[in-house]
Amino acid sequence: MSSNFNQIPKGQDFDKTAKFEAQTMVLTSRPDHARGPRLVCTNSAGKSKSFPLKQEKVVVGRSSEAHLKLIHPLISRKHCIIEKRGDKFFVRNISTTNPVIFNDHDISEKRLYAGDELKMGTFTVTFISDRPEDVRIIKEEVVTQTKRPIWGLLVVTFLLLTLGGYLLYKNAYTPWKISQTLLSASNQIDAGKHVPAQEILEQLLRKDLSPENIHETKTLLAQAILAITRQKAENESIDKAKKYLMAYLADHGAGKESKILWERLDYFRLVLGQGFEDAKKFDLAIRQFAAIRENSLYYEEAQKAVRRIWLAYQQPSREAQTVAQLLKEAENHFKAKRYLTPVNQNAFSVYQAVLALEPQHKLALQRIEMIKMFYREHGERYFTKKQWHKALTYLERYNFIDPQSPEIKEKIKVCRKKLTTSQKPAKKSNTKKTSKNQKPDENREEIKRMLEESGSESTWLMQYLFEEHDGETDSGSPW
């Protein structure tokens, strides 16, 4: 249940709307008074609302898709994310233009403890929790009186140090040294010295670390890289920030610690794609949109842009036609099974032109559903038969028309993974040991696919939309 104060009238300038926006909050779920982890949002007028953290991931921003909606010019459409990882809550800034002030410091990501305050625009968002695990532990130094050791203890200690020197060095000094290095890097990140922190952490990652130390090192490294790319996007360009990020992910993109960086890469691709679309460089725009991962926060928005470009590419020639003329043309294409091709002469695009004139036209809606079911039934049949290439071909077309089905998305991912695996060359026997930090070959292949600038999803669309040759037909194509 949402609580919406008002919407900002279009055409008003910043000064006239600032006061109004500073007092506007929208919650997309009922602000219950139940105990447990929750956010308390306070506007500049002192009014507060409670938002229980019952979801794994909560988006905060001024977009209509945000769970906690804050209306203010200094709030980004998708400003930050509050997410639960295990039994801990974290805040992560996903805006490249506006900061998240965490206890009076600008941050990229931080763990939340009870009482922590976030400031965005004129709003203060406080994390409240009565769970013991959310209470910040304050370390206290206990000073004890040293006792004078006796000679026997000194002798035993000397012998133990002599006999166990190597084990002590390996199991005590080395872990202590690593923990001190991690602490130093963390302090540098908090102080805004992200590049020196990156250098320290990358050197540390080359050492023989425990799984716990690898995780902590990669987590801190991801925070540093996120801040560096944000600075590059603000001070240089999004394209340079994206290239810097891609170079890092090519080496360190495996593991859940890099998840926030993959999301930032998808955001950069979305922004660049929108820029190319505005400049009418549609082929470059589609390459950026199509490279965005299926499980990304920005995937659906990118797919909408792809369909928007696809339809815009074909609609101008039909602007003067009536609904009756369009239906006649569409029915001819439908009966001939020209569902998505050829360009400017396919059933789907013409039925969309009908819906542009009459959004609730019954026959056009019915035919589009039939086209969708054609692709879905064929795709799932080939999927069951493990004919991955054919299944992917049909399922991609279904997903292009309707990207809302999680089941279809998952099957597309399975098909691509199976096809990637089948294309790998046979491995030669190799008895050489690999280091603990080396990425498995399958991770390298997956990272390489996700970094492809054209996007594996765009191949078929790019070929027929921008590279199709007149007169060429393929009777086996599932259109």
Side-chain angles (χ1 to χ4, degrees):
M1 183 173 181
S2 65
S3 173
N4 190 340
F5 285 25
N6 278 302
Q7 299 294 326
I8 302 173
K10 295 184 178 179
Q12 291 191 4
D13 57 30
F14 178 92
D15 294 333
K16 292 181 179 179
T17 58
K19 284 187 176 181
F20 171 80
E21 292 171 296
Q23 301 182 27
T24 305
M25 294 180 286
V26 178
L27 306 185
T28 57
S29 63
R30 178 183 295 275
D32 297 329
H33 296 287
R35 301 179 64 80
R38 57 200 180 276
L39 302 175
V40 176
C41 183
T42 306
N43 64 14
S44 60
K47 295 182 179 180
S48 298
K49 290 191 177 184
S50 179
F51 184 90
L53 293 173
K54 297 181 179 180
Q55 300 168 273
E56 293 294 318
K57 183 181 291 186
V58 173
V59 178
V60 181
R62 58 183 172 82
S63 168
S64 59
E65 300 175 5
H67 302 97
L68 174 52
K69 186 176 178 183
L70 307 178
I71 306 299
H72 189 270
L74 296 181
I75 301 292
S76 299
R77 292 183 69 255
K78 292 179 180 177
H79 198 112
C80 70
I81 290 178
I82 311 294
E83 59 185 340
K84 186 177 183 182
R85 303 177 194 165
D87 61 349
K88 303 173 184 177
F89 285 90
F90 290 80
V91 56
R92 176 157 48 89
N93 185 1
I94 59 174
S95 169
T96 60
T97 56
N98 294 311
V100 173
I101 306 301
F102 176 89
N103 294 341
D104 297 326
H105 294 286
D106 183 2
I107 55 94
S108 297
E109 178 178 284
K110 276 288 185 181
R111 181 185 170 182
L112 290 173
Y113 292 95
D116 284 340
E117 287 188 350
L118 308 174
K119 294 184 179 178
M120 292 167 277
T122 58
F123 293 94
T124 299
V125 179
T126 306
F127 175 68
I128 304 296
S129 177
D130 51 11
R131 302 189 314 162
E133 54 266 45
D134 291 327
V135 177
R136 190 187 303 275
I137 299 175
I138 301 176
K139 296 182 180 179
E140 297 182 355
E141 295 185 0
V142 180
V143 180
T144 59
Q145 184 178 1
T146 58
K147 295 182 179 181
R148 184 175 298 174
I150 60 175
W151 284 106
L153 180 60
L154 285 174
V155 172
V156 173
T157 302
F158 174 78
L159 290 175
L160 289 174
L161 289 173
T162 302
L163 295 174
Y166 173 74
L167 291 176
L168 189 62
Y169 175 83
K170 183 176 181 180
N171 298 324
Y173 175 77
T174 299
W176 175 83
K177 185 67 176 178
I178 291 172
S179 67
Q180 291 300 304
T181 303
L182 289 170
L183 179 60
S184 174
S186 178
N187 291 336
Q188 286 188 324
I189 291 173
D190 290 340
K193 300 177 181 179
H194 303 112
V195 174
Q198 176 193 359
E199 294 173 354
I200 291 174
L201 292 166
E202 287 185 337
Q203 290 178 2
L204 185 61
L205 204 57
R206 298 187 188 103
K207 297 182 179 180
D208 188 17
L209 304 177
S210 67
E212 293 80 10
N213 285 333
I214 291 173
H215 171 70
E216 187 173 357
T217 302
K218 286 187 174 182
T219 299
L220 289 173
L221 191 52
Q223 292 179 24
I225 296 298
L226 193 66
I228 292 172
T229 54
R230 179 182 173 185
Q231 291 171 354
K232 284 185 173 292
E234 293 174 351
N235 302 328
E236 299 178 37
S237 69
I238 289 181
D239 186 56
K240 288 184 178 180
K242 187 195 73 169
K243 290 178 180 177
Y244 179 88
L245 183 55
M246 290 177 68
Y248 171 81
L249 289 171
D251 292 329
H252 305 291
K256 60 184 180 180
E257 300 89 358
S258 298
K259 181 180 177 182
I260 58 175
L261 299 180
W262 285 108
E263 287 190 7
R264 179 53 56 92
L265 176 60
D266 288 332
Y267 173 76
F268 287 157
R269 283 170 165 167
L270 180 69
V271 173
L272 287 171
Q274 290 170 340
F276 285 132
E277 182 184 357
D278 292 340
K280 299 191 182 303
K281 297 179 180 179
F282 297 130
D283 54 340
L284 297 178
I286 287 182
R287 290 180 190 277
Q288 295 296 325
F289 291 138
I292 294 175
R293 301 163 304 133
E294 297 92 334
N295 59 347
S296 168
L297 190 66
Y298 309 101
Y299 176 75
E300 290 189 9
E301 192 170 349
Q303 290 299 301
K304 290 177 184 177
V306 170
R307 292 195 304 279
R308 183 171 62 244
I309 291 173
W310 186 86
L311 290 170
Y313 193 80
Q314 304 179 81
Q315 294 305 325
S317 61
R318 299 192 173 86
E319 290 178 351
Q321 290 180 273
T322 65
V323 170
Q325 291 171 328
L326 291 170
L327 279 176
K328 182 177 180 180
E329 180 185 351
E331 287 293 286
N332 288 335
H333 294 320
F334 182 83
K335 291 176 183 178
K337 291 189 177 181
R338 294 190 292 268
Y339 296 147
L340 286 176
T341 57
V343 176
N344 294 320
Q345 298 180 41
N346 60 82
F348 180 69
S349 67
V350 184
Y351 285 128
Q352 287 290 344
V354 173
L355 293 176
L357 297 175
E358 293 186 21
Q360 300 302 321
H361 195 283
K362 185 175 181 180
L363 180 60
L365 292 172
Q366 181 183 11
R367 291 301 197 205
I368 289 175
E369 286 299 316
M370 293 172 70
I371 292 172
K372 285 167 52 180
M373 292 312 300
F374 170 82
Y375 289 129
R376 180 162 191 155
E377 289 173 0
H378 282 70
E380 291 183 339
R381 186 173 75 247
Y382 285 121
F383 187 90
T384 302
K385 294 180 179 180
K386 299 182 179 181
Q387 297 183 23
W388 309 118
H389 186 272
K390 287 187 176 181
L392 178 62
T393 301
Y394 284 95
L395 294 174
E396 275 186 335
R397 275 61 175 179
Y398 178 93
N399 190 64
F400 172 73
I401 298 173
D402 180 10
Q404 304 297 325
S405 171
E407 182 184 357
I408 295 299
K409 290 179 187 176
E410 187 61 33
K411 288 182 177 179
I412 287 175
K413 289 170 65 176
V414 171
C415 290
R416 288 185 185 138
K417 186 174 182 180
K418 295 291 185 181
L419 289 171
T420 301
T421 303
S422 66
Q423 292 170 1
K424 291 180 184 177
K427 297 180 182 178
K428 294 182 180 180
S429 176
N430 187 0
T431 57
K432 185 178 179 180
K433 293 183 179 180
T434 58
S435 70
K436 189 181 295 185
N437 296 339
Q438 185 176 357
K439 294 193 290 288
D441 288 342
E442 54 267 25
N443 286 341
R444 292 180 183 275
E445 290 295 327
E446 179 66 11
I447 289 171
K448 181 180 178 182
R449 186 187 75 80
M450 290 192 294
L451 289 175
E452 287 179 356
E453 193 62 20
S454 62
S456 58
E457 301 88 344
S458 69
T459 303
W460 66 274
L461 186 61
M462 291 296 300
Q463 285 180 347
Y464 101 83
L465 188 56
F466 295 107
E467 303 168 17
E468 185 179 58
H469 300 286
D470 292 338
E472 290 187 1
T473 58
D474 181 1
S475 59
S477 296
W479 305 107

